Amino acid sequence: MIKLDAKIPEGSLAEKWKKYKSSIDLVAPNNKRKLEVIVVGTGLAGASAAASLAELGYKVKAFTFHDSPRRAHSIAAQGGINAAKNYQNDGDSVYRLFYDTIKGGDYRSREANVYRLAEVSANIIDQCVAQGVPFAREYGGTLDNRSFGGVQVSRTFYARGQTGQQLLIGAYQALSRQVSLGNVEMYNRHEMLDLVMVENKARGIVTRNLLTGELKSHAAHCVVLATGGYGNVYYLSTNAMNCNVSAAWRAARRGAAMANPCFCQIHPTCIPVSGTYQSKLTLMSESLRNDGRVWVPKKMEDVEAIREGSKKPTDIPEDDRDYYLERKYPAFGNLVPRDVASRAAKDVCDEGRGVNKTGLAVYLDFEDAIHRYGKAEAYSAGKDSEDGELVRKLGTKVVEAKYGNLFEIYEKITGDNPYVTPMRIYPAIHYTMGGLWVDYNLETTLPGLFCIGEANFSDHGANRLGASALMQGLADGYFVLPYTIGSFLSKEIKTPAITDDSSEFKRVIEEVKTRLENLLAVKGDRSVDSFHRELGLIIWDYCGMSRNEEGLKKGRKLLKELKKEFYSNVFVPGEMNEYNPELEKASRVADFFELGELMIVDALHREESCGGHFREESQTEDNEAKRDDENYTYVAAWEWKGEEEPLLHKEPLEFENVELKTRSYK
C-alpha cells in the first residue's frame, strides 16, 4: 500500500532549502567510495546527476540507449533556460520566478519544490558559463536574455536556437571527465526494461543490449531514473522517435506511484501535420513569439482563397487580419503561456479559419519585427530609415542573427521562406508534466528509487512555462539530487556491495525474457508502428487538447480493444538475441498501452479544467479553463493494480505563499 509523504521541511519558504541542506544526513567521503548508484538516462538531468555524484565520490553506472550520451533528446530544446538573475534589471527575482511557475502551472504544483527550483536557477547559469556554454551575449559582453510565454520579464538565457544542445555538451564534458577517471562506468546502447526490488528497496535494473540482444542485470545501492517524458504515447509529437515511458512505467508496475499522467503539454508553435506518412513533428521554438505575431484572416473568403492558392498571406491587408492573442489577452499578447496559446489556436481553427488545406494552421508573422529592427539599424547607422528596401534588408539580418537556424529548419521542411512568407504553425504534444511521484528528496514511493527531470511530476503543475524544462533538469542533477540522495545512502554505508546473484534479480530477468518472447511469438499481420499510430490517434482525439467525459470513456473502450488486438495480431520480426529495433518498439508500445489507459482514467477523474488539461464540462462563459480548487487542489498519484482499477492516492497541495486565483493574462 502506497503512502505519500512529501517530506517538505519546516520553516519559511525562502529558508526551507537552505536549512534542509544544513541538516540533511551526509555520507563521508571515505564511505561514498563504497556506495554504488545506477543512473538511467544521460540527458541534462541524467548526465549532470551522474557527473555530480561521481565527482562527490560515489561509484556510478550510467545507462543510455543511445550510441553516445550526447544523443539524448535534451539536445532538441531550442529556446532557452530560465534563471532569476535579473540581468535586465526589469524586476525579476527568485520569488517572481517561483510565482510565475506556480501560476503558469495553474496552481497544481508543490510550493516547496518550485521555490527551490527558482532558488538554484541562478547557480545553473554560473555552472554552465564555467563549463564554456556559449550563451548569447549583449554588445557589452554580458549575457543576453529574452522573454518567454507567461511572464513579463526577460529571464531566459539562450544560445541561438540550440540551447539544449549546448547545455548538454557542457554536461557531457563533465560526465566524460568522470568516465575517463574511472568513476563512471558508461553503458551505451543499453535499454532499461525493468526494476529490481530487494527487500523493498530499489537495488538494480535489467537491461537489454540493443546491439546483441543480451539481457543483463545490474546491481547498486540505489537507482536514479532520468529517462524523460512520455509524449510519444501520442505517436505524433515533438519528441525524438525513441523517447518512451518504459523505464518509468516498469517502476510504476513495481509499485512507484504515477502522478498526474493526464497532464501533457501542447506546444503552440509546431510545424503542422502534413500527412499520415509522418512519424514525428518538428517544433519551432517558443522564443519566436517574442518577435512573431500570431494571426488568421478575419474573413472566410480570404481563408478559402489562401487554401486554394489564389491569395498569399501577404495579400491580406492589416485591417483584415485577426491578431487573436493580442485581441483576447492584451496584457501578454503573443507571450501568453503555452496552454492558452494552444487552445486559442484550436478555437480559431474550429471556427474554420485555419490557413492550410487541413484547416489546422495559423500564421506566425515576422514582418513587423523585421521592419522595427530595420528602422532602428538604419537610424543608428545614419542611413535613411524611410528606405523600405534598406530597412527590410537590415531588419532581416537582425532577425537572422537571433533565429536564423530555426528559420533554416522551417524552410527545409516546408519549402517556404519565413523571412518573406509567414510561418504556419499549429499546436502539438511536446512535454509531459505528469510522471513518477517524488517527494522533496526526489525519491519515489519505492525506497531507493529516485526520479529526476521530466520523468518526475514535481515542478510544473498542469502546464510548463517555456524554458523551464532545461532549468529543472540541471537543477535536479547538479544542485538537488547530490544533496538529497544522502538521505537514503547515509543509512546504507554498512550495506555491502549489492550483487545480482540473488533470487530477485534472477526472477526479474526471467520475467523480462518471457515478456519479449511472448511479443516475438505472436506472429500477426500488423506492424508495431501501425498499432502505435492508431493508439496515438485515440489518445489525441479523446485525451488531447480538449476532453469530455463521453469522449474519454469512448477512448478507453477503443484503447482496450486495440490493446487486445495488439497482443493477438502484432508482427515482430527477428529474434531476441540480436539487433532488433522492431522488438524494442514493440516493448515500448506495450507499455504505452497501459500508460495511455491510466492517462484516460486520470483525465476522467479530474473533473476540472486546469493548465493544458481542458475539460469541456468545466469552462467559463468566455470558454477559458475553469478550475475547481475546492475539490481538486491535490496531486493525483496512481497505484497500478494490474487488471484491477488503479488506486488513487491524493497529496493535498497547500498554498501558504501565493493566493489561489483564476489565471488571467488579459
Side-chain angles (χ1 to χ4, degrees):
M1 179 70 174
I2 286 175
K3 292 183 179 179
L4 302 182
D5 178 5
K7 298 178 182 172
I8 299 170
E10 296 292 328
S12 67
L13 189 66
E15 296 295 318
K16 283 183 190 295
W17 178 234
K18 191 183 301 181
K19 288 183 177 178
Y20 190 62
K21 283 194 299 181
S22 301
S23 60
I24 198 168
D25 291 336
L26 299 177
V27 180
N30 59 314
N31 286 325
K32 285 174 182 161
R33 293 191 290 271
K34 304 174 186 176
L35 299 171
E36 290 187 294
V37 180
I38 284 173
V39 178
V40 186
T42 58
L44 285 180
S48 58
S52 300
L53 293 172
E55 181 75 34
L56 287 171
Y58 296 108
K59 294 180 185 176
V60 178
K61 298 175 185 175
F63 295 82
T64 175
F65 60 56
H66 296 290
D67 53 2
S68 164
R70 276 189 60 187
R71 300 276 288 174
H73 189 58
S74 296
I75 66 166
Q78 297 169 342
I81 176 170
N82 289 330
K85 284 285 201 181
N86 195 31
Y87 280 177
Q88 303 298 314
N89 199 28
D90 56 1
D92 201 11
S93 64
V94 168
Y95 183 85
R96 192 176 292 276
L97 174 53
F98 154 74
Y99 178 77
D100 286 344
T101 306
I102 288 280
K103 177 184 175 185
D106 221 352
Y107 305 95
R108 292 294 176 263
S109 47
R110 194 188 287 149
E111 273 193 346
N113 286 60
V114 176
Y115 192 89
R116 176 176 65 188
L117 174 66
E119 190 176 348
V120 304
S121 66
N123 298 339
I124 297 170
I125 304 304
D126 297 338
Q127 168 92 3
C128 294
V129 169
Q131 289 174 334
V133 173
F135 287 120
R137 293 180 180 268
E138 294 182 331
Y139 178 76
T142 56
L143 298 184
D144 195 14
N145 292 117
R146 55 191 179 196
S147 293
F148 261 58
V151 304
Q152 292 178 308
V153 297
S154 296
R155 65 163 66 102
T156 303
F157 296 78
Y158 64 98
R160 294 192 78 187
Q162 324 173 331
T163 313
Q165 179 176 345
Q166 299 300 333
L167 290 172
L168 186 59
I169 289 172
Y172 173 67
Q173 289 175 150
L175 176 60
S176 296
R177 177 173 178 270
Q178 296 303 320
V179 171
S180 70
L181 293 172
N183 299 329
V184 174
E185 192 174 352
M186 192 72 231
Y187 292 84
N188 297 339
R189 301 295 284 150
H190 281 68
E191 180 167 28
M192 173 182 163
L193 293 183
D194 219 327
L195 177 74
V196 182
M197 301 292 295
V198 179
E199 297 179 352
N200 198 38
K201 292 179 181 179
R203 294 301 200 189
I205 61 174
V206 171
T207 64
R208 180 170 179 268
N209 184 320
L210 299 183
L211 297 178
T212 67
E214 180 190 11
L215 294 178
K216 196 171 187 314
S217 54
H218 306 269
H221 290 87
C222 70
V223 177
V224 179
L225 298 186
T227 49
Y230 48 84
N232 273 357
V233 68
Y234 289 90
Y235 187 71
L236 283 179
S237 80
T238 65
N239 289 189
M241 290 177 64
N242 279 341
C243 293
N244 65 84
V245 75
S246 289
W249 185 248
R250 288 290 134 187
R253 287 181 62 100
R254 294 290 174 193
M258 180 67 75
N260 299 335
C262 78
F263 283 171
C264 297
Q265 181 167 78
I266 317 289
H267 197 294
T269 52
C270 181
I271 298 177
V273 177
S274 56
T276 55
Y277 59 85
Q278 279 185 266
S279 56
K280 79 174 299 294
L281 298 173
T282 303
L283 180 71
M284 289 289 99
S285 169
E286 183 178 326
S287 62
L288 295 175
R289 288 199 280 143
N290 269 289
D291 287 314
R293 300 178 71 195
V294 181
W295 66 275
V296 290
K298 291 179 179 178
K299 301 176 181 177
M300 280 307 301
E301 54 262 38
D302 287 337
V303 173
E304 290 163 5
I306 286 172
R307 289 181 187 170
E308 293 166 0
S310 59
K311 272 189 178 180
K312 298 177 181 178
T314 49
D315 295 330
I316 309 300
E318 191 74 10
D319 290 345
D320 291 337
R321 300 180 179 191
D322 180 12
Y323 294 95
Y324 58 88
L325 291 178
E326 297 170 35
R327 169 174 57 82
K328 294 176 70 174
Y329 309 103
F332 283 73
N334 295 296
L335 286 174
V336 291
R338 292 174 174 180
D339 60 319
V340 177
S342 295
R343 204 156 48 243
K346 181 180 185 297
D347 288 346
V348 295
C349 289
D350 287 349
E351 293 169 9
R353 293 192 284 156
V355 295
N356 64 353
K357 290 183 179 179
T358 66
L360 300 176
V362 299
Y363 286 126
L364 183 62
D365 195 330
F366 292 87
E367 188 59 32
D368 278 7
I370 289 172
H371 185 73
R372 183 176 71 253
Y373 287 131
K375 283 184 77 75
E377 288 291 301
Y379 187 83
S380 66
K383 297 179 180 178
D384 184 3
S385 60
E386 300 304 318
D387 182 338
E389 187 176 341
L390 174 67
V391 165
R392 171 157 256 292
K393 182 179 178 181
L394 294 173
T396 298
K397 282 186 176 180
V398 174
V399 171
E400 183 179 6
K402 295 181 75 172
Y403 310 114
N405 61 319
L406 298 172
F407 279 47
E408 186 179 341
I409 291 169
Y410 181 87
E411 185 169 5
K412 283 184 176 179
I413 291 173
T414 67
D416 289 336
N417 180 355
Y419 295 104
V420 177
T421 302
M423 287 183 179
R424 283 175 297 191
I425 57 168
Y426 193 70
I429 290 292
H430 178 54
Y431 187 91
T432 52
M433 285 78 65
L436 292 181
W437 184 92
V438 292
D439 61 18
Y440 193 72
N441 292 328
L442 304 181
E443 190 172 12
T444 69
T445 53
L446 296 178
L449 178 66
F450 293 79
C451 187
I452 60 177
E454 189 180 356
N456 73 33
F457 89 100
S458 68
D459 294 343
H460 308 297
N463 174 64
R464 178 176 68 79
L465 289 182
S468 287
L470 305 184
M471 176 174 63
Q472 186 206 348
L474 292 180
D476 285 356
Y478 280 137
F479 298 108
V480 180
L481 183 74
Y483 281 99
T484 62
I485 202 168
S487 64
F488 176 82
L489 290 177
S490 61
K491 301 172 183 64
E492 298 292 323
I493 56 177
K494 293 183 180 179
T495 304
I498 308 295
T499 61
D500 64 351
D501 55 3
S502 66
S503 60
E504 290 89 349
F505 279 90
K506 293 173 182 176
R507 176 174 51 81
V508 173
I509 206 167
E510 281 302 313
E511 289 174 1
V512 171
K513 183 180 178 183
T514 301
R515 191 165 79 237
L516 297 179
E517 287 174 342
N518 288 342
L519 288 171
L520 286 163
V522 177
K523 301 298 182 187
D525 298 325
R526 288 186 60 179
S527 69
V528 175
D529 280 342
S530 72
F531 279 106
H532 192 180
R533 185 181 287 108
E534 190 173 343
L535 159 66
L537 192 59
I538 291 170
I539 303 290
W540 176 254
D541 285 345
Y542 300 107
C543 193
M545 253 197 292
S546 187
R547 312 155 185 188
N548 59 60
E549 183 179 3
E550 181 184 356
L552 287 164
K553 288 179 177 177
K554 180 180 178 182
R556 190 179 187 190
K557 181 173 180 291
L558 291 171
L559 201 63
K560 286 186 172 186
E561 292 170 356
L562 186 64
K563 178 183 174 183
K564 186 176 180 181
E565 185 186 352
F566 174 79
Y567 282 106
S568 64
N569 198 31
V570 71
F571 175 64
V572 183
E575 303 294 333
M576 183 166 66
N577 295 319
E578 64 179 7
Y579 174 70
N580 191 342
E582 288 302 305
L583 180 58
E584 294 170 38
K585 289 192 287 187
S587 177
R588 295 165 187 168
V589 172
D591 292 332
F592 276 142
F593 270 112
E594 294 179 350
L595 171 75
E597 186 174 354
L598 184 62
M599 288 169 64
I600 291 175
V601 169
D602 187 40
L604 265 169
H605 157 77
R606 193 170 283 275
E607 296 179 356
E608 66 163 353
S609 291
C610 58
H613 169 84
F614 189 73
R615 276 294 289 265
E616 293 170 9
E617 302 93 333
S618 183
Q619 54 183 299
T620 62
E621 291 181 2
D622 53 353
N623 305 118
E624 298 290 348
K626 185 179 180 182
R627 288 199 325 268
D628 181 353
D629 292 333
E630 185 176 345
N631 295 303
Y632 292 98
T633 309
Y634 57 77
V635 177
W638 296 91
E639 181 179 358
W640 177 251
K641 305 292 282 185
E643 295 302 314
E644 301 175 23
E645 284 291 298
L647 183 62
L648 174 64
H649 302 271
K650 300 177 182 179
E651 180 202 339
L653 292 171
E654 299 177 3
F655 294 94
E656 301 172 353
N657 300 274
V658 297
E659 179 187 354
L660 269 175
K661 56 186 179 182
T662 301
R663 280 194 308 167
S664 175
Y665 296 94
K666 296 182 177 182

